[in-house]
Amino acid sequence: MKKTLCLLFLVSILFGCDDMSMTINLSLPEHETLLVVNATAEADNNLKVYVTNSIDPLSSDFFEYIDDAVVLLKGEQLLDTLMFDSIKGYYLSNEVLEGGKIYQIEVKYSDFSTVFSEVYVPYAVQILAAELGAISDYFRAFEFKIDDPLAQDDFYLLRMKGYIEDVGWEGLWFESSEPSFDNKDFWEESFDGRKILFNDQLFNGTNKTFYMDIDYWEELDSVKVVLHTVSESFYKYHMSRRLQNQNGPSEILGAEPVVVYSNIQNGFGVFAATAKTDFIITTD
């Protein structure tokens, strides 16, 4: 009798739970739309500023560039009022930026809160020497040396390029066991080789030589190492973006989401800075 009752009880549970889905009602705060400003101040170049507005994460809307904002570039005084390029979708300054200076941007639009930010444009750290080494299969040893500035935190973006006649410069794949490189932070781009962000925490203020293996084939005429000295805001923004991408989409009951770095007051986005140097060596 007990067995019969238990069996009937289990059957009633199975038939009563044919829909095992769960509905969770969430009360989310109302989205506050803010200006989104992204700009990278490149030494010896004009400033480009992209202006949009934030979109509710649950919305299916697409962002659009704002073309009638007031975008100001300042140093110790007002330097320029940027004009919008309708073809390229950004505001462009007439002012050529210089390394070793601090710049501010201010963006005003409609009823949005005015946004501000500032960044120090670094000097380019020069490449002192570069050398090609032995060939092994489809790779060739390569090394280059820099003189890292003393008593300051420096951040870098490295990429390698190769020149082929009738083709031009193309990005190269490279590998390295350099302790300053975190292999998870390689940016793998099939159309433009590989690049990596790193800092000088392990070699601050020293002459530093980097060793690596680069893609190599007979058609290569020259190899170019391209080194960008970047601002801390550039480093933090792109590192947080990569961490967010590595974690994948955040589910309601899944992993804690990664907050992407921003240094835009009263808004979102980043005002970053870079200074570039390169060194070309022939393959002969």
Side-chain angles (χ1 to χ4, degrees), residues 31-39 49-55 63-66 69 71 91 105 107 109 112-113 115 237 262 264-271:
H31 173 72
E32 180 185 6
T33 302
L34 300 175
L35 288 178
V36 179
V37 176
N38 288 293
V49 179
Y50 296 86
V51 182
T52 60
N53 60 267
S54 62
I55 298 174
F63 73 86
E64 295 182 358
Y65 291 117
I66 295 172
V71 182
Y91 294 82
I105 54 173
V107 180
Y109 175 68
F112 287 85
S113 298
V115 301
Y237 174 77
S262 173
I264 303 296
Q265 298 181 47
N266 300 328
F268 299 114
V270 66
F271 186 27

PDB file of all heavy atoms in Angstrom, residues 31-39 49-55 63-66 69 71 91 105 107 109 112-113 115 237 262 264-271:
ATOM      1  N   HIS A  31      16.741  54.288 -16.491  1.00  0.00           N
ATOM      2  CA  HIS A  31      18.012  54.653 -17.121  1.00  0.00           C
ATOM      3  C   HIS A  31      18.117  56.163 -17.281  1.00  0.00           C
ATOM      4  O   HIS A  31      17.194  56.817 -17.777  1.00  0.00           O
ATOM      5  CB  HIS A  31      18.123  53.990 -18.496  1.00  0.00           C
ATOM      6  CG  HIS A  31      19.320  54.434 -19.281  1.00  0.00           C
ATOM      7  ND1 HIS A  31      20.606  54.064 -18.960  1.00  0.00           N
ATOM      8  CD2 HIS A  31      19.418  55.242 -20.375  1.00  0.00           C
ATOM      9  CE1 HIS A  31      21.443  54.606 -19.820  1.00  0.00           C
ATOM     10  NE2 HIS A  31      20.756  55.326 -20.684  1.00  0.00           N
ATOM     11  N   GLU A  32      19.250  56.728 -16.837  1.00  0.00           N
ATOM     12  CA  GLU A  32      19.517  58.153 -17.018  1.00  0.00           C
ATOM     13  C   GLU A  32      20.431  58.320 -18.227  1.00  0.00           C
ATOM     14  O   GLU A  32      21.566  57.847 -18.230  1.00  0.00           O
ATOM     15  CB  GLU A  32      20.186  58.744 -15.780  1.00  0.00           C
ATOM     16  CG  GLU A  32      20.496  60.225 -15.923  1.00  0.00           C
ATOM     17  CD  GLU A  32      21.279  60.785 -14.744  1.00  0.00           C
ATOM     18  OE1 GLU A  32      21.672  59.992 -13.864  1.00  0.00           O
ATOM     19  OE2 GLU A  32      21.500  62.009 -14.714  1.00  0.00           O
ATOM     20  N   THR A  33      19.932  58.970 -19.258  1.00  0.00           N
ATOM     21  CA  THR A  33      20.713  59.153 -20.473  1.00  0.00           C
ATOM     22  C   THR A  33      21.758  60.244 -20.267  1.00  0.00           C
ATOM     23  O   THR A  33      21.438  61.363 -19.870  1.00  0.00           O
ATOM     24  CB  THR A  33      19.806  59.527 -21.657  1.00  0.00           C
ATOM     25  OG1 THR A  33      18.824  58.511 -21.833  1.00  0.00           O
ATOM     26  CG2 THR A  33      20.618  59.655 -22.935  1.00  0.00           C
ATOM     27  N   LEU A  34      23.026  59.896 -20.534  1.00  0.00           N
ATOM     28  CA  LEU A  34      24.139  60.830 -20.383  1.00  0.00           C
ATOM     29  C   LEU A  34      24.923  60.906 -21.689  1.00  0.00           C
ATOM     30  O   LEU A  34      24.816  60.024 -22.547  1.00  0.00           O
ATOM     31  CB  LEU A  34      25.070  60.376 -19.253  1.00  0.00           C
ATOM     32  CG  LEU A  34      24.465  60.263 -17.852  1.00  0.00           C
ATOM     33  CD1 LEU A  34      25.491  59.682 -16.884  1.00  0.00           C
ATOM     34  CD2 LEU A  34      23.976  61.614 -17.356  1.00  0.00           C
ATOM     35  N   LEU A  35      25.711  61.952 -21.827  1.00  0.00           N
ATOM     36  CA  LEU A  35      26.575  62.065 -22.994  1.00  0.00           C
ATOM     37  C   LEU A  35      27.705  61.040 -22.915  1.00  0.00           C
ATOM     38  O   LEU A  35      28.220  60.740 -21.836  1.00  0.00           O
ATOM     39  CB  LEU A  35      27.173  63.467 -23.089  1.00  0.00           C
ATOM     40  CG  LEU A  35      26.225  64.601 -23.493  1.00  0.00           C
ATOM     41  CD1 LEU A  35      26.962  65.935 -23.486  1.00  0.00           C
ATOM     42  CD2 LEU A  35      25.612  64.345 -24.868  1.00  0.00           C
ATOM     43  N   VAL A  36      28.071  60.512 -24.073  1.00  0.00           N
ATOM     44  CA  VAL A  36      29.203  59.591 -24.186  1.00  0.00           C
ATOM     45  C   VAL A  36      30.237  60.257 -25.089  1.00  0.00           C
ATOM     46  O   VAL A  36      29.948  60.580 -26.243  1.00  0.00           O
ATOM     47  CB  VAL A  36      28.784  58.234 -24.777  1.00  0.00           C
ATOM     48  CG1 VAL A  36      29.992  57.313 -24.897  1.00  0.00           C
ATOM     49  CG2 VAL A  36      27.693  57.595 -23.927  1.00  0.00           C
ATOM     50  N   VAL A  37      31.432  60.473 -24.553  1.00  0.00           N
ATOM     51  CA  VAL A  37      32.491  61.172 -25.285  1.00  0.00           C
ATOM     52  C   VAL A  37      33.726  60.280 -25.337  1.00  0.00           C
ATOM     53  O   VAL A  37      34.210  59.812 -24.300  1.00  0.00           O
ATOM     54  CB  VAL A  37      32.839  62.512 -24.613  1.00  0.00           C
ATOM     55  CG1 VAL A  37      34.011  63.182 -25.329  1.00  0.00           C
ATOM     56  CG2 VAL A  37      31.627  63.432 -24.600  1.00  0.00           C
ATOM     57  N   ASN A  38      34.223  60.032 -26.540  1.00  0.00           N
ATOM     58  CA  ASN A  38      35.443  59.246 -26.719  1.00  0.00           C
ATOM     59  C   ASN A  38      36.421  60.027 -27.588  1.00  0.00           C
ATOM     60  O   ASN A  38      36.062  60.474 -28.685  1.00  0.00           O
ATOM     61  CB  ASN A  38      35.129  57.897 -27.369  1.00  0.00           C
ATOM     62  CG  ASN A  38      34.415  56.954 -26.423  1.00  0.00           C
ATOM     63  OD1 ASN A  38      34.980  56.506 -25.435  1.00  0.00           O
ATOM     64  ND2 ASN A  38      33.155  56.663 -26.707  1.00  0.00           N
ATOM     65  N   ALA A  39      37.638  60.188 -27.082  1.00  0.00           N
ATOM     66  CA  ALA A  39      38.650  60.947 -27.815  1.00  0.00           C
ATOM     67  C   ALA A  39      40.033  60.455 -27.417  1.00  0.00           C
ATOM     68  O   ALA A  39      40.267  60.115 -26.255  1.00  0.00           O
ATOM     69  CB  ALA A  39      38.522  62.439 -27.511  1.00  0.00           C
ATOM     70  N   VAL A  49      37.093  63.929 -31.715  1.00  0.00           N
ATOM     71  CA  VAL A  49      36.189  63.667 -30.594  1.00  0.00           C
ATOM     72  C   VAL A  49      34.871  63.106 -31.128  1.00  0.00           C
ATOM     73  O   VAL A  49      34.238  63.714 -31.997  1.00  0.00           O
ATOM     74  CB  VAL A  49      35.914  64.949 -29.780  1.00  0.00           C
ATOM     75  CG1 VAL A  49      34.959  64.656 -28.625  1.00  0.00           C
ATOM     76  CG2 VAL A  49      37.217  65.541 -29.251  1.00  0.00           C
ATOM     77  N   TYR A  50      34.467  61.951 -30.599  1.00  0.00           N
ATOM     78  CA  TYR A  50      33.198  61.327 -30.959  1.00  0.00           C
ATOM     79  C   TYR A  50      32.200  61.584 -29.833  1.00  0.00           C
ATOM     80  O   TYR A  50      32.517  61.353 -28.659  1.00  0.00           O
ATOM     81  CB  TYR A  50      33.365  59.822 -31.156  1.00  0.00           C
ATOM     82  CG  TYR A  50      34.282  59.441 -32.303  1.00  0.00           C
ATOM     83  CD1 TYR A  50      35.663  59.352 -32.113  1.00  0.00           C
ATOM     84  CD2 TYR A  50      33.769  59.167 -33.564  1.00  0.00           C
ATOM     85  CE1 TYR A  50      36.505  58.995 -33.158  1.00  0.00           C
ATOM     86  CE2 TYR A  50      34.606  58.807 -34.614  1.00  0.00           C
ATOM     87  CZ  TYR A  50      35.968  58.730 -34.406  1.00  0.00           C
ATOM     88  OH  TYR A  50      36.797  58.385 -35.442  1.00  0.00           O
ATOM     89  N   VAL A  51      30.996  62.048 -30.183  1.00  0.00           N
ATOM     90  CA  VAL A  51      29.977  62.365 -29.181  1.00  0.00           C
ATOM     91  C   VAL A  51      28.687  61.616 -29.513  1.00  0.00           C
ATOM     92  O   VAL A  51      28.154  61.736 -30.623  1.00  0.00           O
ATOM     93  CB  VAL A  51      29.689  63.882 -29.121  1.00  0.00           C
ATOM     94  CG1 VAL A  51      28.649  64.179 -28.034  1.00  0.00           C
ATOM     95  CG2 VAL A  51      30.969  64.668 -28.857  1.00  0.00           C
ATOM     96  N   THR A  52      28.200  60.838 -28.550  1.00  0.00           N
ATOM     97  CA  THR A  52      26.910  60.156 -28.667  1.00  0.00           C
ATOM     98  C   THR A  52      26.207  60.296 -27.317  1.00  0.00           C
ATOM     99  O   THR A  52      26.630  61.079 -26.465  1.00  0.00           O
ATOM    100  CB  THR A  52      27.083  58.665 -29.014  1.00  0.00           C
ATOM    101  OG1 THR A  52      27.847  58.024 -27.981  1.00  0.00           O
ATOM    102  CG2 THR A  52      27.812  58.485 -30.332  1.00  0.00           C
ATOM    103  N   ASN A  53      25.139  59.547 -27.118  1.00  0.00           N
ATOM    104  CA  ASN A  53      24.508  59.499 -25.800  1.00  0.00           C
ATOM    105  C   ASN A  53      24.271  58.048 -25.406  1.00  0.00           C
ATOM    106  O   ASN A  53      24.177  57.159 -26.257  1.00  0.00           O
ATOM    107  CB  ASN A  53      23.199  60.293 -25.773  1.00  0.00           C
ATOM    108  CG  ASN A  53      22.172  59.776 -26.756  1.00  0.00           C
ATOM    109  OD1 ASN A  53      22.091  60.259 -27.884  1.00  0.00           O
ATOM    110  ND2 ASN A  53      21.377  58.791 -26.350  1.00  0.00           N
ATOM    111  N   SER A  54      24.208  57.810 -24.112  1.00  0.00           N
ATOM    112  CA  SER A  54      24.043  56.443 -23.613  1.00  0.00           C
ATOM    113  C   SER A  54      22.647  55.923 -23.928  1.00  0.00           C
ATOM    114  O   SER A  54      21.688  56.687 -24.070  1.00  0.00           O
ATOM    115  CB  SER A  54      24.295  56.393 -22.104  1.00  0.00           C
ATOM    116  OG  SER A  54      23.361  57.204 -21.412  1.00  0.00           O
ATOM    117  N   ILE A  55      22.544  54.591 -24.033  1.00  0.00           N
ATOM    118  CA  ILE A  55      21.285  53.922 -24.360  1.00  0.00           C
ATOM    119  C   ILE A  55      20.962  52.926 -23.259  1.00  0.00           C
ATOM    120  O   ILE A  55      21.861  52.266 -22.717  1.00  0.00           O
ATOM    121  CB  ILE A  55      21.399  53.199 -25.719  1.00  0.00           C
ATOM    122  CG1 ILE A  55      21.663  54.214 -26.841  1.00  0.00           C
ATOM    123  CG2 ILE A  55      20.138  52.405 -26.030  1.00  0.00           C
ATOM    124  CD1 ILE A  55      21.923  53.573 -28.189  1.00  0.00           C
ATOM    125  N   PHE A  63      22.888  53.599 -31.309  1.00  0.00           N
ATOM    126  CA  PHE A  63      23.361  54.943 -31.012  1.00  0.00           C
ATOM    127  C   PHE A  63      23.576  55.720 -32.310  1.00  0.00           C
ATOM    128  O   PHE A  63      23.828  55.148 -33.366  1.00  0.00           O
ATOM    129  CB  PHE A  63      24.657  54.900 -30.192  1.00  0.00           C
ATOM    130  CG  PHE A  63      25.876  54.484 -30.962  1.00  0.00           C
ATOM    131  CD1 PHE A  63      26.627  55.412 -31.667  1.00  0.00           C
ATOM    132  CD2 PHE A  63      26.287  53.158 -30.985  1.00  0.00           C
ATOM    133  CE1 PHE A  63      27.750  55.043 -32.376  1.00  0.00           C
ATOM    134  CE2 PHE A  63      27.416  52.773 -31.694  1.00  0.00           C
ATOM    135  CZ  PHE A  63      28.147  53.718 -32.388  1.00  0.00           C
ATOM    136  N   GLU A  64      23.472  57.028 -32.207  1.00  0.00           N
ATOM    137  CA  GLU A  64      23.727  57.913 -33.339  1.00  0.00           C
ATOM    138  C   GLU A  64      24.682  59.011 -32.896  1.00  0.00           C
ATOM    139  O   GLU A  64      24.628  59.477 -31.752  1.00  0.00           O
ATOM    140  CB  GLU A  64      22.420  58.530 -33.848  1.00  0.00           C
ATOM    141  CG  GLU A  64      21.444  57.519 -34.439  1.00  0.00           C
ATOM    142  CD  GLU A  64      20.183  58.189 -34.973  1.00  0.00           C
ATOM    143  OE1 GLU A  64      20.083  59.433 -34.836  1.00  0.00           O
ATOM    144  OE2 GLU A  64      19.319  57.483 -35.512  1.00  0.00           O
ATOM    145  N   TYR A  65      25.565  59.423 -33.804  1.00  0.00           N
ATOM    146  CA  TYR A  65      26.486  60.502 -33.484  1.00  0.00           C
ATOM    147  C   TYR A  65      25.724  61.818 -33.367  1.00  0.00           C
ATOM    148  O   TYR A  65      24.837  62.118 -34.167  1.00  0.00           O
ATOM    149  CB  TYR A  65      27.570  60.628 -34.553  1.00  0.00           C
ATOM    150  CG  TYR A  65      28.532  59.468 -34.575  1.00  0.00           C
ATOM    151  CD1 TYR A  65      28.632  58.638 -35.692  1.00  0.00           C
ATOM    152  CD2 TYR A  65      29.340  59.194 -33.475  1.00  0.00           C
ATOM    153  CE1 TYR A  65      29.513  57.568 -35.710  1.00  0.00           C
ATOM    154  CE2 TYR A  65      30.223  58.125 -33.485  1.00  0.00           C
ATOM    155  CZ  TYR A  65      30.304  57.318 -34.597  1.00  0.00           C
ATOM    156  OH  TYR A  65      31.173  56.252 -34.611  1.00  0.00           O
ATOM    157  N   ILE A  66      26.077  62.599 -32.362  1.00  0.00           N
ATOM    158  CA  ILE A  66      25.490  63.928 -32.170  1.00  0.00           C
ATOM    159  C   ILE A  66      26.334  64.921 -32.959  1.00  0.00           C
ATOM    160  O   ILE A  66      27.552  65.015 -32.757  1.00  0.00           O
ATOM    161  CB  ILE A  66      25.462  64.291 -30.673  1.00  0.00           C
ATOM    162  CG1 ILE A  66      24.512  63.338 -29.928  1.00  0.00           C
ATOM    163  CG2 ILE A  66      25.053  65.741 -30.469  1.00  0.00           C
ATOM    164  CD1 ILE A  66      24.548  63.488 -28.422  1.00  0.00           C
ATOM    165  N   ALA A  69      26.734  69.428 -31.097  1.00  0.00           N
ATOM    166  CA  ALA A  69      27.210  69.755 -29.753  1.00  0.00           C
ATOM    167  C   ALA A  69      28.262  70.864 -29.839  1.00  0.00           C
ATOM    168  O   ALA A  69      28.817  71.140 -30.905  1.00  0.00           O
ATOM    169  CB  ALA A  69      27.804  68.516 -29.089  1.00  0.00           C
ATOM    170  N   VAL A  71      31.893  71.557 -28.692  1.00  0.00           N
ATOM    171  CA  VAL A  71      33.053  70.806 -28.205  1.00  0.00           C
ATOM    172  C   VAL A  71      34.243  71.756 -28.131  1.00  0.00           C
ATOM    173  O   VAL A  71      34.681  72.292 -29.155  1.00  0.00           O
ATOM    174  CB  VAL A  71      33.374  69.612 -29.125  1.00  0.00           C
ATOM    175  CG1 VAL A  71      34.561  68.824 -28.577  1.00  0.00           C
ATOM    176  CG2 VAL A  71      32.153  68.703 -29.267  1.00  0.00           C
ATOM    177  N   TYR A  91      34.209  65.245 -34.323  1.00  0.00           N
ATOM    178  CA  TYR A  91      34.602  66.650 -34.252  1.00  0.00           C
ATOM    179  C   TYR A  91      36.120  66.717 -34.370  1.00  0.00           C
ATOM    180  O   TYR A  91      36.838  65.932 -33.735  1.00  0.00           O
ATOM    181  CB  TYR A  91      34.153  67.265 -32.925  1.00  0.00           C
ATOM    182  CG  TYR A  91      32.649  67.351 -32.778  1.00  0.00           C
ATOM    183  CD1 TYR A  91      31.912  66.241 -32.359  1.00  0.00           C
ATOM    184  CD2 TYR A  91      31.963  68.526 -33.063  1.00  0.00           C
ATOM    185  CE1 TYR A  91      30.534  66.304 -32.230  1.00  0.00           C
ATOM    186  CE2 TYR A  91      30.578  68.601 -32.931  1.00  0.00           C
ATOM    187  CZ  TYR A  91      29.873  67.487 -32.520  1.00  0.00           C
ATOM    188  OH  TYR A  91      28.507  67.548 -32.399  1.00  0.00           O
ATOM    189  N   ILE A 105      38.939  68.798 -22.429  1.00  0.00           N
ATOM    190  CA  ILE A 105      37.820  68.935 -23.356  1.00  0.00           C
ATOM    191  C   ILE A 105      36.561  69.205 -22.546  1.00  0.00           C
ATOM    192  O   ILE A 105      36.412  68.743 -21.408  1.00  0.00           O
ATOM    193  CB  ILE A 105      37.619  67.689 -24.253  1.00  0.00           C
ATOM    194  CG1 ILE A 105      37.493  66.410 -23.428  1.00  0.00           C
ATOM    195  CG2 ILE A 105      38.711  67.576 -25.284  1.00  0.00           C
ATOM    196  CD1 ILE A 105      37.119  65.195 -24.262  1.00  0.00           C
ATOM    197  N   VAL A 107      32.255  69.405 -23.342  1.00  0.00           N
ATOM    198  CA  VAL A 107      31.215  69.150 -24.340  1.00  0.00           C
ATOM    199  C   VAL A 107      29.862  69.562 -23.770  1.00  0.00           C
ATOM    200  O   VAL A 107      29.470  69.122 -22.680  1.00  0.00           O
ATOM    201  CB  VAL A 107      31.181  67.664 -24.755  1.00  0.00           C
ATOM    202  CG1 VAL A 107      30.089  67.431 -25.800  1.00  0.00           C
ATOM    203  CG2 VAL A 107      32.540  67.225 -25.302  1.00  0.00           C
ATOM    204  N   TYR A 109      25.672  69.971 -24.807  1.00  0.00           N
ATOM    205  CA  TYR A 109      24.652  69.601 -25.793  1.00  0.00           C
ATOM    206  C   TYR A 109      23.277  69.607 -25.156  1.00  0.00           C
ATOM    207  O   TYR A 109      23.047  68.924 -24.142  1.00  0.00           O
ATOM    208  CB  TYR A 109      24.930  68.217 -26.386  1.00  0.00           C
ATOM    209  CG  TYR A 109      23.835  67.741 -27.315  1.00  0.00           C
ATOM    210  CD1 TYR A 109      23.610  68.369 -28.539  1.00  0.00           C
ATOM    211  CD2 TYR A 109      23.008  66.685 -26.948  1.00  0.00           C
ATOM    212  CE1 TYR A 109      22.593  67.953 -29.377  1.00  0.00           C
ATOM    213  CE2 TYR A 109      21.995  66.251 -27.791  1.00  0.00           C
ATOM    214  CZ  TYR A 109      21.789  66.894 -29.006  1.00  0.00           C
ATOM    215  OH  TYR A 109      20.776  66.483 -29.834  1.00  0.00           O
ATOM    216  N   PHE A 112      21.524  68.112 -21.688  1.00  0.00           N
ATOM    217  CA  PHE A 112      22.431  67.204 -20.988  1.00  0.00           C
ATOM    218  C   PHE A 112      23.379  67.994 -20.083  1.00  0.00           C
ATOM    219  O   PHE A 112      23.708  69.154 -20.359  1.00  0.00           O
ATOM    220  CB  PHE A 112      23.270  66.405 -21.989  1.00  0.00           C
ATOM    221  CG  PHE A 112      22.509  65.340 -22.723  1.00  0.00           C
ATOM    222  CD1 PHE A 112      21.791  65.648 -23.867  1.00  0.00           C
ATOM    223  CD2 PHE A 112      22.513  64.034 -22.272  1.00  0.00           C
ATOM    224  CE1 PHE A 112      21.089  64.669 -24.558  1.00  0.00           C
ATOM    225  CE2 PHE A 112      21.818  63.043 -22.948  1.00  0.00           C
ATOM    226  CZ  PHE A 112      21.099  63.364 -24.092  1.00  0.00           C
ATOM    227  N   SER A 113      23.839  67.338 -19.029  1.00  0.00           N
ATOM    228  CA  SER A 113      24.867  67.947 -18.186  1.00  0.00           C
ATOM    229  C   SER A 113      26.144  68.124 -19.003  1.00  0.00           C
ATOM    230  O   SER A 113      26.513  67.251 -19.794  1.00  0.00           O
ATOM    231  CB  SER A 113      25.158  67.056 -16.969  1.00  0.00           C
ATOM    232  OG  SER A 113      24.012  66.905 -16.162  1.00  0.00           O
ATOM    233  N   VAL A 115      29.868  67.893 -19.919  1.00  0.00           N
ATOM    234  CA  VAL A 115      30.874  66.905 -19.518  1.00  0.00           C
ATOM    235  C   VAL A 115      32.275  67.490 -19.682  1.00  0.00           C
ATOM    236  O   VAL A 115      32.514  68.341 -20.540  1.00  0.00           O
ATOM    237  CB  VAL A 115      30.740  65.589 -20.320  1.00  0.00           C
ATOM    238  CG1 VAL A 115      29.367  64.975 -20.124  1.00  0.00           C
ATOM    239  CG2 VAL A 115      31.020  65.804 -21.792  1.00  0.00           C
ATOM    240  N   TYR A 237      41.227  51.961 -19.738  1.00  0.00           N
ATOM    241  CA  TYR A 237      40.010  51.790 -20.535  1.00  0.00           C
ATOM    242  C   TYR A 237      40.079  50.508 -21.362  1.00  0.00           C
ATOM    243  O   TYR A 237      39.163  49.680 -21.336  1.00  0.00           O
ATOM    244  CB  TYR A 237      39.813  52.998 -21.443  1.00  0.00           C
ATOM    245  CG  TYR A 237      38.659  52.855 -22.413  1.00  0.00           C
ATOM    246  CD1 TYR A 237      37.347  53.008 -21.986  1.00  0.00           C
ATOM    247  CD2 TYR A 237      38.886  52.559 -23.755  1.00  0.00           C
ATOM    248  CE1 TYR A 237      36.279  52.872 -22.868  1.00  0.00           C
ATOM    249  CE2 TYR A 237      37.832  52.424 -24.644  1.00  0.00           C
ATOM    250  CZ  TYR A 237      36.536  52.583 -24.199  1.00  0.00           C
ATOM    251  OH  TYR A 237      35.493  52.437 -25.083  1.00  0.00           O
ATOM    252  N   SER A 262      36.090  54.809 -17.106  1.00  0.00           N
ATOM    253  CA  SER A 262      35.724  56.076 -17.741  1.00  0.00           C
ATOM    254  C   SER A 262      36.335  57.221 -16.950  1.00  0.00           C
ATOM    255  O   SER A 262      36.395  57.172 -15.719  1.00  0.00           O
ATOM    256  CB  SER A 262      34.201  56.241 -17.793  1.00  0.00           C
ATOM    257  OG  SER A 262      33.852  57.541 -18.257  1.00  0.00           O
ATOM    258  N   ILE A 264      35.325  60.493 -17.934  1.00  0.00           N
ATOM    259  CA  ILE A 264      34.479  61.596 -18.389  1.00  0.00           C
ATOM    260  C   ILE A 264      33.557  62.012 -17.241  1.00  0.00           C
ATOM    261  O   ILE A 264      32.695  61.236 -16.817  1.00  0.00           O
ATOM    262  CB  ILE A 264      33.640  61.191 -19.617  1.00  0.00           C
ATOM    263  CG1 ILE A 264      34.551  60.707 -20.757  1.00  0.00           C
ATOM    264  CG2 ILE A 264      32.772  62.358 -20.068  1.00  0.00           C
ATOM    265  CD1 ILE A 264      35.475  61.760 -21.320  1.00  0.00           C
ATOM    266  N   GLN A 265      33.735  63.213 -16.727  1.00  0.00           N
ATOM    267  CA  GLN A 265      32.891  63.700 -15.640  1.00  0.00           C
ATOM    268  C   GLN A 265      31.497  64.038 -16.172  1.00  0.00           C
ATOM    269  O   GLN A 265      31.357  64.692 -17.201  1.00  0.00           O
ATOM    270  CB  GLN A 265      33.514  64.940 -14.997  1.00  0.00           C
ATOM    271  CG  GLN A 265      34.873  64.688 -14.356  1.00  0.00           C
ATOM    272  CD  GLN A 265      35.432  65.948 -13.721  1.00  0.00           C
ATOM    273  OE1 GLN A 265      34.736  66.655 -12.997  1.00  0.00           O
ATOM    274  NE2 GLN A 265      36.701  66.229 -13.992  1.00  0.00           N
ATOM    275  N   ASN A 266      30.471  63.568 -15.468  1.00  0.00           N
ATOM    276  CA  ASN A 266      29.056  63.776 -15.808  1.00  0.00           C
ATOM    277  C   ASN A 266      28.618  62.984 -17.040  1.00  0.00           C
ATOM    278  O   ASN A 266      27.548  63.250 -17.597  1.00  0.00           O
ATOM    279  CB  ASN A 266      28.731  65.262 -16.039  1.00  0.00           C
ATOM    280  CG  ASN A 266      29.015  66.111 -14.825  1.00  0.00           C
ATOM    281  OD1 ASN A 266      28.889  65.656 -13.695  1.00  0.00           O
ATOM    282  ND2 ASN A 266      29.415  67.351 -15.050  1.00  0.00           N
ATOM    283  N   GLY A 267      29.434  62.028 -17.477  1.00  0.00           N
ATOM    284  CA  GLY A 267      29.071  61.232 -18.641  1.00  0.00           C
ATOM    285  C   GLY A 267      29.837  59.927 -18.669  1.00  0.00           C
ATOM    286  O   GLY A 267      30.333  59.449 -17.642  1.00  0.00           O
ATOM    287  N   PHE A 268      29.934  59.347 -19.845  1.00  0.00           N
ATOM    288  CA  PHE A 268      30.667  58.102 -20.043  1.00  0.00           C
ATOM    289  C   PHE A 268      31.694  58.291 -21.153  1.00  0.00           C
ATOM    290  O   PHE A 268      31.617  59.233 -21.939  1.00  0.00           O
ATOM    291  CB  PHE A 268      29.719  56.960 -20.429  1.00  0.00           C
ATOM    292  CG  PHE A 268      28.668  56.650 -19.406  1.00  0.00           C
ATOM    293  CD1 PHE A 268      27.320  56.873 -19.685  1.00  0.00           C
ATOM    294  CD2 PHE A 268      29.011  56.130 -18.173  1.00  0.00           C
ATOM    295  CE1 PHE A 268      26.343  56.582 -18.748  1.00  0.00           C
ATOM    296  CE2 PHE A 268      28.042  55.834 -17.223  1.00  0.00           C
ATOM    297  CZ  PHE A 268      26.705  56.068 -17.512  1.00  0.00           C
ATOM    298  N   GLY A 269      32.628  57.331 -21.235  1.00  0.00           N
ATOM    299  CA  GLY A 269      33.626  57.363 -22.296  1.00  0.00           C
ATOM    300  C   GLY A 269      35.022  57.552 -21.746  1.00  0.00           C
ATOM    301  O   GLY A 269      35.276  57.382 -20.547  1.00  0.00           O
ATOM    302  N   VAL A 270      35.947  57.922 -22.627  1.00  0.00           N
ATOM    303  CA  VAL A 270      37.331  58.089 -22.200  1.00  0.00           C
ATOM    304  C   VAL A 270      38.006  59.179 -23.026  1.00  0.00           C
ATOM    305  O   VAL A 270      37.748  59.329 -24.222  1.00  0.00           O
ATOM    306  CB  VAL A 270      38.112  56.756 -22.332  1.00  0.00           C
ATOM    307  CG1 VAL A 270      38.248  56.334 -23.788  1.00  0.00           C
ATOM    308  CG2 VAL A 270      39.479  56.844 -21.672  1.00  0.00           C
ATOM    309  N   PHE A 271      38.830  59.958 -22.349  1.00  0.00           N
ATOM    310  CA  PHE A 271      39.722  60.915 -22.997  1.00  0.00           C
ATOM    311  C   PHE A 271      41.125  60.388 -22.742  1.00  0.00           C
ATOM    312  O   PHE A 271      41.618  60.416 -21.615  1.00  0.00           O
ATOM    313  CB  PHE A 271      39.530  62.309 -22.410  1.00  0.00           C
ATOM    314  CG  PHE A 271      40.306  63.398 -23.112  1.00  0.00           C
ATOM    315  CD1 PHE A 271      40.663  63.289 -24.447  1.00  0.00           C
ATOM    316  CD2 PHE A 271      40.667  64.557 -22.436  1.00  0.00           C
ATOM    317  CE1 PHE A 271      41.363  64.293 -25.099  1.00  0.00           C
ATOM    318  CE2 PHE A 271      41.364  65.575 -23.071  1.00  0.00           C
ATOM    319  CZ  PHE A 271      41.712  65.443 -24.405  1.00  0.00           C
TER     320      PHE A 271
END
